[in-house]
Amino acid sequence: MKNIQLTIHFRLLAIFSFVQFLSCGEKQTKQITQKPNIIYIMSDDHTTQGFGVYGSRLASLNPTPNLDKLANEGMIFDNAFVNNAICVPSRAAIITGQRAQTNGVVDLEGAIAPENQFLPKEMSKLGYQTAIVGKWHLHHEPAAFDYYQVLPVQGKYFDPDFRIQGEKPWPENVIKTKGHSSDIITDATLDYLKNKRDPSKPFFLMHHFKAPHDDFEYAPRYENYLVDTFIPEPESLYEIKNHGSEAIRGKNDSLTRIIGSSVSHRNVIRNQAMNIYWNDSTIYKQYRNARDIKSEEYVKWEMDAAEKEYTSKVYQDYLKKYLRCVKGVDDNIKRLLDYLEAEGLLENTIIVYTGDQGFMLGEHDYIDKRWMYDESMRMPFFVRYPEKINAGSRTDAIINNTDFAPTMIELAGGTAPEYMQGKSFKSILETGIEPADWQKATYYRYWMHLAHRHQNPAHFGIRTKEYKLIFYYGKYWVDTDDPNAEWNKKSWGNDFTHHTPPAWEFYDLTKDPKEMNNEYSNPEYKEVIADLKKQLTQMREDLNETDAKYPHIQQVIDEHWND
């Protein structure tokens, strides 16, 4: 009897153990096959110079310890570029995977309707719950997302309001908050992760900081950060050398006082001193009077010793304000990562970090973005996902922001739809190898001619790993010579409604990474430039970026293509 009982006992134990094994194996299989969560983090105007991992002159200040750690745990991209270095067109490219003339967004007035919010729509098809928190700026309701809490347009740095889903129609459901936007946006994201998502489903979350967009209003706790530190200055802040062309400098430098907003007093229409010292009556008077002066009446600009001293003071104030905003972003990244780790979510979450474009931090005496110069055009971009991406990996493969959506869709297990113009670089992330047929160049276009008193002429161009070719056509995208033409003066804020000279710029980036020497007229580069023009023509056709709809621009291109 005892033997029979023992036999039954061991059989039951074996069955129980087998069931446990199956159950355990089922859990392991479930864990292995569960789709990864994806968090896409984007800061506004956070340029590569404002990181440690990109090795700029500011790296020694250690401005981003938490972001650097995140970057070094995944893959860093050294050649990530925006299609147009201005907020709305960049965000439109990211959410649609399309270029400007395809998605219809060429300037800050552009908008993306819910039916064209392709990235969240595609992620939803793959079983993801989708959410966006922070800056949106694409005007229509982000209704393609399952959840949203977004700033109205640009939003405020302090005590920001947010638009949310509710009983009233968009955009009437508003909540008010107290605090600094970087903290509040992170609070909202953590609240979503803790309380508003379905933990049984993977999530796709876009977490968008307002910072460090100008005017760089940082949280009061950072008031003493870098207060006694001398911020390294770019050499080109004081010496322009052979940078630029007649398109941005004018004949005999006649346009230097109005083209390209500056750190120094050089640009009398908009400079950083006006932003920082707006109450200075002398500067304010100079700004107001500048509107009525014709460019040929400006006194030729010279950086004498007194102006250099003044410019250095403005630059130091400018960079400290900027880096204090960056510090707030970096600290809040740690809050988010700490939560993910504590909740066991970190390892199965793909984390992407980028900016919506670059930003000029005094290079060539420029502030703001818009330019095709690398500090403006280049985006920080890195991805962490330990299961598939090797820590400490880095690539110089060229990507642009239309490639982001296709890549995230493929990382989520889907296939990038044909209507997206961007290409997935998933294989580069997972292998570290750039495919032989991967793109060797990227196309850029800035449409908002002389807008917002930053006074950047309209231009387009091509950027490869070795070279950059820019053509300034210097006209509005609508024909202002046509008396029936309409364009948004209120939004663009133009003081000068004239065309600027067309011209070419060419830079050999292997010899001149700071873009100090325009070599367009150098006969040694004749064949290289001819080949770049050929590539540029083909890219414009392939990407639906020609000027067939803008004959007044095409005429300038035709007349000056072979200059």
Side-chain angles (χ1 to χ4, degrees), residues 382-394:
F382 43 86
V383 186
R384 181 194 188 275
Y385 184 39
E387 186 175 316
K388 296 288 181 70
I389 301 171
N390 289 332
S393 53
R394 201 161 191 142

Side-chain angles (χ1 to χ4, degrees), residues 246 248-259 294-301 501:
E246 190 173 296
I248 66 172
R249 298 176 67 160
K251 290 183 179 179
N252 301 315
D253 282 352
S254 60
L255 293 179
T256 57
R257 304 307 305 276
I258 64 170
I259 296 292
K294 295 180 181 178
S295 59
E296 59 268 20
E297 296 174 351
Y298 289 127
V299 177
K300 185 175 175 60
W301 173 247

Side-chain angles (χ1 to χ4, degrees), residues 88-363:
V88 176
S90 173
R91 291 164 191 271
I94 291 164
I95 213 75
T96 64
Q98 296 175 338
R99 294 279 177 167
Q101 292 198 65
T102 300
N103 65 36
V105 179
V106 301
D107 63 10
L108 293 182
E109 297 306 302
I112 298 295
E115 61 269 23
N116 296 327
Q117 294 164 15
F118 298 131
L119 178 54
K121 287 169 73 71
E122 293 295 332
M123 297 301 287
S124 292
K125 292 178 187 176
L126 297 170
Y128 279 76
Q129 51 192 321
T130 61
I132 182 168
V133 175
K135 184 172 176 180
W136 168 238
H137 209 174
L138 291 174
H139 304 297
H140 285 290
E141 179 182 12
F145 290 87
D146 299 319
Y147 174 86
Y148 64 80
Q149 181 174 329
V150 295
L151 295 168
V153 195
Q154 190 64 250
K156 298 183 296 184
Y157 263 115
F158 287 98
D159 303 337
D161 297 337
F162 289 90
R163 293 171 177 169
I164 61 171
Q165 292 150 314
E167 295 179 359
K168 299 176 183 178
W170 166 271
E172 296 179 26
N173 299 292
V174 176
I175 60 170
K176 298 183 179 297
T177 66
K178 290 288 185 182
H180 188 271
S181 70
S182 295
D183 301 331
I184 301 297
I185 288 166
T186 306
D187 290 345
T189 282
L190 293 175
D191 179 55
Y192 169 77
L193 292 172
K194 292 175 184 177
N195 304 313
K196 294 184 170 65
R197 67 183 180 90
D198 179 352
S200 70
K201 295 180 180 179
F203 61 82
F204 170 67
L205 168 66
M206 301 189 86
H207 173 94
H208 292 180
F209 289 106
K210 171 182 170 62
H213 191 280
D214 68 2
D215 287 326
F216 320 123
E217 297 176 39
Y218 51 85
R221 64 182 179 273
Y222 300 118
E223 183 66 36
N224 293 321
Y225 176 61
L226 299 173
V227 66
D228 295 321
T229 302
F230 180 82
I231 310 299
E233 299 175 348
E235 178 187 352
S236 59
L237 176 61
Y238 303 108
E239 177 54 66
I240 195 169
K241 294 188 177 178
N242 191 38
H243 166 80
S245 62
E246 190 173 296
I248 66 172
R249 298 176 67 160
K251 290 183 179 179
N252 301 315
D253 282 352
S254 60
L255 293 179
T256 57
R257 304 307 305 276
I258 64 170
I259 296 292
S261 52
S262 60
V263 177
S264 72
H265 283 124
R266 175 185 57 77
N267 190 307
V268 296
I269 297 170
R270 187 164 185 164
N271 60 62
Q272 187 59 23
M274 295 172 183
N275 293 342
I276 296 178
Y277 314 121
W278 188 250
N279 292 326
D280 185 317
S281 59
T282 303
I283 295 171
Y284 182 78
K285 184 177 179 181
Q286 176 193 45
Y287 163 71
R288 299 301 301 180
N289 290 344
R291 299 183 180 203
D292 303 320
I293 303 174
K294 295 180 181 178
S295 59
E296 59 268 20
E297 296 174 351
Y298 289 127
V299 177
K300 185 175 175 60
W301 173 247
E302 293 181 6
M303 181 76 79
D304 59 20
E307 179 60 32
K308 187 172 182 179
E309 180 181 355
Y310 178 81
T311 299
S312 179
K313 172 178 169 46
V314 174
Y315 174 84
Q316 293 297 316
D317 290 346
Y318 171 34
L319 265 290
K320 287 176 183 179
K321 286 166 69 73
Y322 180 85
L323 291 172
R324 287 165 186 162
C325 274
V326 168
K327 174 70 170 167
V329 168
D330 192 69
D331 286 349
N332 275 291
I333 291 294
K334 186 176 189 306
R335 288 179 63 206
L336 177 56
L337 295 176
D338 285 350
Y339 171 80
L340 293 172
E341 186 170 26
E343 294 298 313
L345 293 169
L346 186 59
E347 296 311 298
N348 193 42
T349 298
I350 298 169
I351 301 177
V352 179
Y353 185 89
T354 187
D356 58 348
Q357 63 258 322
F359 203 77
M360 308 299 295
L361 296 179
E363 298 85 8

Side-chain angles (χ1 to χ4, degrees), residues 380-445:
F381 192 89
F382 43 86
V383 186
R384 181 194 188 275
Y385 184 39
E387 186 175 316
K388 296 288 181 70
I389 301 171
N390 289 332
S393 53
R394 201 161 191 142
T395 179
D396 68 348
I398 289 177
I399 63 172
N400 69 74
N401 58 341
T402 60
D403 299 324
F404 297 175
T407 302
M408 287 188 282
I409 289 166
E410 288 205 358
L411 286 169
T415 301
E418 290 185 4
Y419 62 74
M420 287 189 174
Q421 293 172 294
K423 306 298 180 186
S424 170
F425 49 86
K426 176 176 178 281
S427 69
I428 297 175
L429 284 168
E430 295 180 347
T431 67
I433 299 170
E434 181 182 341
D437 61 350
W438 187 250
Q439 58 199 7
K440 301 298 187 291
T442 191
Y443 177 77
Y444 179 92
R445 181 157 189 179

